[in-house]
Amino acid sequence: MSPSSKKNRSRETVKAAGALVWRENGKHLEVLLVHRPRYDDWSIPKGKVESCESVRTCAVREVAEETGVQVILGQPLSRVRYKIGDGSRKEVHYWAARVAPEASAAVAARCAVKPASAKEIDSVEWLRVGQARKRLTYSYDRDLLGELVDLWEDGKLDTWTLVLVRHGRAVKRSVWNRPKERDKETDEATRPLTHDQGETRARALVPILAAYGVGRVITSPWKRCVDTVAPYAAAAGLDLETAGALTEMAHAQSPKGVRSVVKKVLRVREEPTALCTHRPVLPTIMGVVSQYAPGKLLRSVPDRDPWLKTGEILVVHMARRPRGKIRAVAIEKQRPVLSEGR
């Protein structure tokens, strides 16, 4: 290898993802660890991001391959960066995660995975925190465990999730608004997604919504919103719930309906919910989310047009804090990888 090739290799960053899977056993917190015989180490399940794969999809897939457990992602944990043997750098994205419920709709929407061989993973164990801390080989894994414990002790680990979706790219109004016999509302209600980016982005949402365990989908009844979340609903075997308050026209007449829908999803603990709507509705929704986002977290709430790009999502992780207060504890923004939808 030439000196220049070695230099380029040293600048490369290998992306990987994993999840620290947790459960409560009585009054104790337990986590799921794996043993790799090749390195004779104990670690948190993780692996390299495959071509045309998002880090979130990778995290769920790697946990399933290495442990045989299907999980639902919770809030993100710290990223870990370190050098590997060939001189390149590795960046690993981590999430807190819980075991998916039996008969989870989200699991039905995921691709099948091939279990890791015994040469890759030869032991999988649930361990209490103290045992896990002693068992983990690497200091950065112990740091992640400490982060998880802090969240648990602060009442921020047991969360529920709202995934806010802006519909995919739609056919332009100048192209769609041609037949004179249709009124403006019908034009808007029936304007479809574009065949390239719009429909592809809708398909790319499927593995992302599945990673967060979405078990309920609420959408504006207008076609471009319905068609954005329909691929996931079909893959998961879910019925779409339409809410007229989420349309542009209903919102223009009275934003109260939107606020009511969003507050109910944020405040009532239930299965992860996706909510799909339009750009003009987003400022009102962001205003509601901001009411639950304390301190520095408020910076994670989009505060200017276009709020979210077409096909982009905002993931809001909610928790009931001590004294019963409900607060957002983490917010993520993600635009699905287009190639995942092809």
Side-chain angles (χ1 to χ4, degrees):
M1 183 182 293
S2 67
S4 60
S5 297
K6 290 181 179 179
K7 187 175 181 180
N8 289 336
R9 174 62 66 86
S10 66
R11 291 177 179 175
E12 290 179 1
T13 298
V14 177
K15 284 195 173 184
L20 187 47
V21 188
W22 66 277
R23 70 183 183 188
E24 290 178 314
N25 189 352
K27 295 182 179 180
H28 299 283
L29 179 67
E30 296 181 340
V31 294
L32 191 61
L33 304 184
V34 297
H35 181 261
R36 302 184 299 175
R38 178 182 176 186
Y39 304 101
D40 190 23
D41 63 9
W42 283 90
S43 63
I44 297 168
K46 67 178 183 300
K48 293 180 183 178
V49 176
E50 294 182 348
S51 176
C52 305
E53 182 182 45
S54 72
V55 289
R56 291 157 179 81
T57 306
C58 173
V60 171
R61 175 183 57 76
E62 285 291 341
V63 172
E65 288 179 356
E66 294 190 354
T67 70
V69 174
Q70 291 285 353
V71 299
I72 291 174
L73 298 184
Q75 60 187 294
L77 301 174
S78 296
R79 297 180 191 179
V80 174
R81 300 175 179 87
Y82 54 89
K83 282 188 176 181
I84 52 181
D86 61 1
S88 58
R89 300 191 66 83
K90 192 170 188 177
E91 180 181 71
V92 190
H93 298 245
Y94 286 100
W95 281 263
R98 300 190 76 171
V99 177
E102 290 186 20
S104 167
V107 173
R110 296 174 184 172
C111 295
V113 299
K114 182 180 179 180
S117 70
K119 292 182 179 180
E120 296 176 82
I121 304 294
D122 64 354
S123 186
V124 178
E125 288 190 38
W126 284 101
L127 297 169
R128 290 184 181 180
V129 169
Q131 296 171 310
R133 188 175 287 114
K134 293 177 181 178
R135 191 77 64 88
L136 284 167
T137 303
Y138 306 107
S139 60
Y140 51 77
D141 280 347
R142 292 192 290 273
D143 289 342
L144 284 168
L145 177 61
E147 185 178 342
L148 189 87
V149 172
D150 287 344
L151 291 170
W152 183 58
E153 292 178 344
D154 290 344
K156 296 179 180 179
L157 186 57
D158 189 8
T159 59
W160 63 96
T161 305
L162 166 65
V163 183
L164 176 61
V165 183
R166 180 182 170 187
H167 66 72
R169 182 172 296 178
V171 173
K172 292 182 179 179
R173 289 183 175 89
S174 59
V175 175
W176 189 245
N177 292 346
R178 284 182 176 175
K180 295 181 179 179
E181 64 272 14
R182 292 203 306 254
D183 57 48
K184 183 178 180 181
E185 183 171 2
T186 301
D187 270 337
E188 281 299 300
T190 57
R191 190 155 58 94
L193 299 176
T194 60
H195 290 304
D196 49 6
Q197 287 229 3
E199 293 180 359
T200 302
R201 190 80 67 184
R203 292 191 295 271
L205 274 172
V206 174
I208 301 296
L209 297 182
Y212 286 109
V214 168
R216 184 185 182 198
V217 183
I218 306 172
T219 180
S220 158
W222 287 7
K223 183 173 176 59
R224 54 189 179 275
C225 282
V226 170
D227 288 355
T228 295
V229 288
Y232 176 74
L238 296 172
D239 293 327
L240 290 176
E241 300 177 39
T242 57
L246 296 176
T247 67
E248 292 183 28
M249 289 190 176
H251 173 262
Q253 293 170 1
S254 176
K256 289 182 179 179
V258 173
R259 295 191 189 102
S260 176
V261 171
V262 178
K263 284 183 178 180
K264 185 175 181 180
V265 174
L266 289 176
R267 294 188 61 84
V268 178
R269 184 189 180 96
E270 56 186 359
E271 56 193 341
T273 299
L275 190 154
C276 186
T277 189
H278 312 263
R279 182 187 61 79
V281 183
L282 293 177
T284 297
I285 295 178
M286 298 307 176
V288 175
V289 172
S290 296
Q291 295 173 15
Y292 296 90
K296 294 181 180 179
L297 192 60
L298 187 60
R299 301 173 190 170
S300 300
V301 181
D303 61 356
R304 65 192 65 182
D305 195 28
W307 314 97
L308 294 174
K309 297 177 181 178
T310 53
E312 194 168 38
I313 66 172
L314 190 77
V315 185
V316 185
H317 301 276
M318 304 294 295
R320 186 177 295 278
R321 303 298 310 284
R323 300 180 182 177
K325 288 187 177 181
I326 296 174
R327 291 287 184 268
V329 294
I331 296 175
E332 306 175 76
K333 190 161 71 168
Q334 162 77 16
R335 203 175 195 202
V337 179
L338 265 179
S339 50
E340 278 199 300
R342 296 191 184 280

